[in-house]
Amino acid sequence: MKQVIAMHGWAGSSATWNHWQSVLESNGWCWSNGDRGYDGSPPHDPSWSTHADRRVLIAHSMGWHLVSESTLAQADELVLLASFGRFVPDGRAGRRLITGLEGMTRRLEEGDGIAMLERFFAQVAHPYAASALPPSKLILDGLSPAGRDRLEADLRHLAATQGLPPGRPDQARILLVQGGADAVVTAETHQSLVQDLHNHGYGDISHCNDPGWGHAVVTPPVLSRVMAWLDQDA
């Protein structure tokens, strides 16, 4: 059995994957969604089926830092979309980013999370308008206390990332997807991820890049590239 576990990034939800799930399931894959419960629903961390003989983790942005260590460790293949190891780089750029993350955390603490999220989603959508993204339930329905707490906790986790997440599989085939117009994960941060993977002995790494893609790379064109990569090892 071929199984996918998909994990969204910070401020995302399992609804991110609706189209991808439909297409992959129609191609014979068993699909399971992780969800951090930012909308106030209970968080869900799926596990691999005992019948799965091919385990693929698809993660967007912070997603592979948000799944359990056991889930990550058992993956045979990783599809990392606009992902990173350490989010905050060294030097001046890192100091600016830390200041920005601290400001986002304060907005959540002070109850001004919606305005902050609207600005964040505008960065995610870049180079397109924020209206190009599907409507966020967090914006439409507002933040619950539980959802706000999870957003804040994961924002602190984001700032504290130091490299590849614990539990990473020792051997895995990897596809890295990165957009040249990403306003959330910089080219420097992406290159740091590539270097970290090489330093830890990962040799089977494929790259899928486009200068016009932003951070929101969970799109039909990217799905086509991901499916072609999956088919290479069918």
Side-chain angles (χ1 to χ4, degrees):
M1 186 184 82
K2 303 181 297 182
Q3 183 180 1
V4 166
I5 287 180
M7 190 68 204
H8 60 76
W10 188 78
S13 76
S14 57
T16 299
W17 307 105
N18 286 347
H19 175 67
W20 286 41
Q21 179 176 355
S22 175
V23 172
L24 266 292
E25 286 181 337
S26 70
N27 280 267
W29 289 82
C30 175
W31 183 285
S32 304
N33 281 315
D35 200 302
R36 285 293 293 148
Y38 296 134
D39 62 1
S41 60
H44 178 59
D45 186 19
S47 59
W48 301 106
S49 168
T50 56
H51 301 293
D53 53 16
R54 188 177 180 192
R55 301 177 177 92
V56 178
L57 177 69
I58 303 180
H60 179 236
S61 192
M62 190 185 179
W64 73 320
H65 291 273
L66 296 177
V67 297
S68 66
E69 292 185 28
S70 61
T71 296
L72 180 57
Q74 295 177 62
D76 303 311
E77 295 159 284
L78 302 175
V79 177
L80 302 178
L81 309 167
S83 296
F84 53 88
R86 179 181 178 182
F87 185 67
V88 179
D90 292 323
R92 182 179 299 177
R95 291 192 293 273
R96 286 198 304 267
L97 190 50
I98 283 291
T99 298
L101 292 173
E102 289 173 345
M104 293 170 71
T105 302
R106 275 197 309 276
R107 297 294 182 272
L108 287 169
E109 293 173 338
E110 295 167 358
D112 189 27
I114 297 300
M116 178 273 291
L117 286 170
E118 288 176 334
R119 290 190 293 272
F120 172 71
F121 290 139
Q123 286 186 300
V124 171
H126 179 83
Y128 303 103
S131 59
L133 297 177
S136 168
K137 191 175 180 181
L138 300 181
I139 301 298
L140 295 176
D141 297 346
L143 296 176
S144 68
R148 182 180 288 107
D149 288 347
R150 290 176 194 134
L151 283 166
E152 183 180 336
D154 288 348
L155 199 57
R156 296 183 189 279
H157 182 185
L158 175 70
T161 53
Q162 292 298 311
L164 306 184
R168 61 189 179 274
D170 291 333
Q171 299 292 329
R173 180 170 170 252
I174 300 174
L175 174 64
L176 298 179
V177 177
Q178 180 71 14
D182 193 330
V184 177
V185 177
T186 66
E188 176 186 5
T189 300
H190 177 70
Q191 189 55 45
S192 177
L193 169 60
V194 174
Q195 189 61 54
D196 283 347
L197 290 169
H198 283 303
N199 290 345
H200 283 83
Y202 292 95
D204 192 356
I205 303 174
S206 299
H207 299 266
C208 179
N209 305 316
D210 190 287
W213 293 343
H215 191 65
V217 288
V218 186
T219 63
V222 174
L223 174 58
S224 295
R225 304 280 287 275
V226 170
M227 292 182 65
W229 180 79
L230 291 173
D231 287 344
Q232 290 173 11
D233 198 37

